[in-house]
């Protein structure tokens, strides 16, 4: 592959307010799949901030496979997310799926998420090159490492060096789980670029009982962060409830993840 601008990028760290995506710490992003109501996002933010979660997530413009599924609260959801983040002092990440949504979202969010279905949306990627906020770029579920790196290159070469890569599982012949977590993406990306790389075990597996093991695997592989779906009542979630962890269970996981990160750091 031709020498890319992402490789010449001199910064090793992406900073979001006080949170740094660097190799020193595994940044934790957590929250519900979707901002379903003001109450749910406030309850989530209140509990997650106390657990030491670094960044709050919550989808508002949802790219659903079925047009009949809940499509998200859109602008209203972004406002609830913003208010919750303000009250509990948490930076925010949420997905944008069209160019038109970008200006509005930039007023409220700290990180713009580009989902798996939009990794190939080149006009959107180019526009993200001119914003002054970090972009969380998810890997398309069938993208090669090269295609994913070139998608990041669209953003960096257009002027925005603050890109965070996110491995969220790919499609393979295995269909017992929602996707297959490609853990090799973590060390591979570290040999190719100094962009931070995080892992989303929730969409990678689709089932909450696997999230803990996959999160540990990501930490052991050297991931710079994790993005995990949690919900106060997963059984009633409007989206991705089966892969969402209850807040109390997540609290225990946070403690063990901190312990593991400390061990891995000393290796
Ligand atoms: C999400 O994180 O809300 C999401 C829709 O993920 P993905 O784009 O990886 O499916
Ligand atoms: Mn989801």
């Amino acid at each position: 592959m031709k020498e890319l601008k992402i490789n010449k990028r001199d910064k090793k760290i992406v900073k979001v307010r006080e949170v740094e995506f660097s190799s020193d710490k595994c940044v934790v992003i957590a929250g519900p799949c979707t901002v379903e109501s003001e109450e749910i996002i406030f309850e989530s933010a209140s509990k997650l901030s106390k657990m030491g979660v670094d960044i709050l997530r919550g989808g508002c413009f949802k790219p659903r496979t079925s047009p009949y599924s809940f499509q998200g609260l859109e602008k209203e959801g972004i406002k609830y997310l913003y208010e919750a983040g303000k009250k509990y002092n948490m930076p925010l990440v949420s997905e944008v799926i069209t160019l038109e949504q970008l200006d509005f979202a930039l007023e409220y969010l700290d990180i713009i998420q580009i989902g798996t279905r939009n990794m190939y949306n080149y006009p959107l990627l180019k526009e993200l090159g001119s914003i002054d906020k970090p972009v969380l770029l998810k890997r398309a579920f069938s993208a090669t490492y090269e295609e994913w790196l070139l998608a990041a290159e669209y953003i960096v070469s257009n002027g925005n060096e603050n890109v965070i890569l996110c491995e969220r599982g790919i499609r393979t012949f295995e269909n017992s789980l929602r996707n297959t977590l490609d853990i090799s993406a973590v060390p591979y990306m570290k040999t190719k670029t100094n962009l931070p790389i995080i892992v989303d075990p929730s969409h990678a597996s689709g089932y909450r009982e696997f999230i803990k093991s996959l999160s540990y695997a990501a930490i052991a592989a050297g991931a710079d962060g994790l993005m995990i779906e949690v919900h106060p009542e997963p059984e009633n979630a409007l989206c991705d409830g089966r892969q969402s962890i209850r807040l109390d269970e997540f609290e225990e996981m946070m403690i063990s993840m901190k312990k593991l990160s400390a061990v891995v750091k000393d290796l």
Side-chain angles (χ1 to χ4, degrees):
M1 206 192 311
K2 173 180 179 299
E3 181 75 28
L4 300 178
K5 289 216 167 57
I6 47 173
N7 301 326
K8 295 194 190 121
R9 171 184 178 277
D10 37 82
K11 279 197 269 178
K12 288 213 165 28
I13 293 173
V14 172
K15 206 167 173 218
V16 185
R17 292 204 238 159
E18 301 309 310
V19 180
E20 286 185 352
F21 287 84
S22 66
S23 301
D24 291 347
K25 182 185 181 277
C26 184
V27 172
V28 180
I29 305 173
C33 175
T34 307
V35 177
E36 296 171 16
S37 69
E38 197 173 4
E39 294 69 33
I40 288 178
I41 197 66
F42 270 71
E43 181 181 351
S44 303
S46 151
K47 296 198 169 139
L48 296 173
S49 61
K50 287 194 193 85
M51 293 175 208
V53 166
D54 300 289
I55 298 174
L56 180 66
R57 67 151 284 146
C60 300
F61 299 108
K62 294 300 296 177
R64 303 303 301 278
T65 302
S66 165
Y68 305 112
S69 301
F70 177 58
Q71 302 285 308
L73 292 183
E74 305 189 327
K75 290 184 175 177
E76 188 191 356
I78 297 269
K79 288 183 183 163
Y80 293 152
L81 186 65
Y82 175 78
E83 291 302 330
K86 195 161 86 177
K87 179 156 182 200
Y88 296 102
N89 194 27
M90 296 179 87
L92 306 168
V93 59
S94 192
E95 180 170 356
V96 158
I97 54 181
T98 69
L99 270 173
E100 293 69 34
Q101 293 156 356
L102 197 53
D103 283 345
F104 175 83
L106 281 168
E107 280 181 44
Y108 298 94
L109 303 176
D110 298 281
I111 304 175
I112 300 294
Q113 178 175 323
I114 297 303
T116 199
R117 297 163 183 80
N118 261 316
M119 193 209 82
Y120 296 108
N121 185 337
Y122 300 117
L124 187 53
L125 298 179
K126 279 187 196 166
E127 195 59 32
L128 292 164
S130 62
I131 68 169
D132 62 359
K133 291 196 172 163
V135 177
L136 194 161
L137 180 65
K138 288 192 141 192
R139 179 185 186 179
F141 46 69
S142 58
T144 62
Y145 292 151
E146 185 176 357
E147 287 168 335
W148 188 16
L149 283 167
L150 288 170
E153 182 76 2
Y154 263 95
I155 304 170
V156 174
S157 65
N158 279 285
N160 184 358
E161 291 200 335
N162 293 308
V163 178
I164 302 155
L165 301 170
C166 179
E167 160 62 36
R168 48 78 70 207
I170 52 173
R171 262 192 195 162
T172 65
F173 56 81
E174 180 53 66
N175 59 9
S176 306
L177 301 181
R178 188 171 179 181
N179 289 289
T180 300
L181 178 62
D182 178 12
I183 202 75
S184 307
V186 176
Y188 182 85
M189 285 300 162
K190 284 181 183 279
T191 67
K192 287 289 164 194
T193 166
N194 59 27
L195 296 174
I197 163 108
I198 71 165
V199 168
D200 168 354
S202 307
H203 294 88
S205 65
Y207 296 94
R208 75 176 69 84
E209 53 271 43
F210 303 112
I211 310 298
K212 192 153 88 175
S213 315
L214 297 182
S215 300
Y216 291 171
I219 294 170
D224 302 305
L226 283 162
M227 179 152 84
I228 301 174
E229 288 187 344
V230 296
H231 194 283
E233 289 177 35
E235 55 288 356
N236 295 322
L238 294 180
C239 183
D240 287 351
R242 189 63 188 83
Q243 69 193 32
S244 301
I245 304 183
R246 297 187 69 87
L247 287 164
D248 49 353
E249 282 171 34
F250 188 64
E251 190 165 12
E252 284 173 29
M253 217 179 116
M254 280 293 288
I255 296 166
S256 50
M257 288 196 300
K258 267 191 202 136
K259 286 188 197 155
L260 181 61
S261 297
V263 172
V264 170
K265 207 176 149 220
D266 287 341
L267 289 177

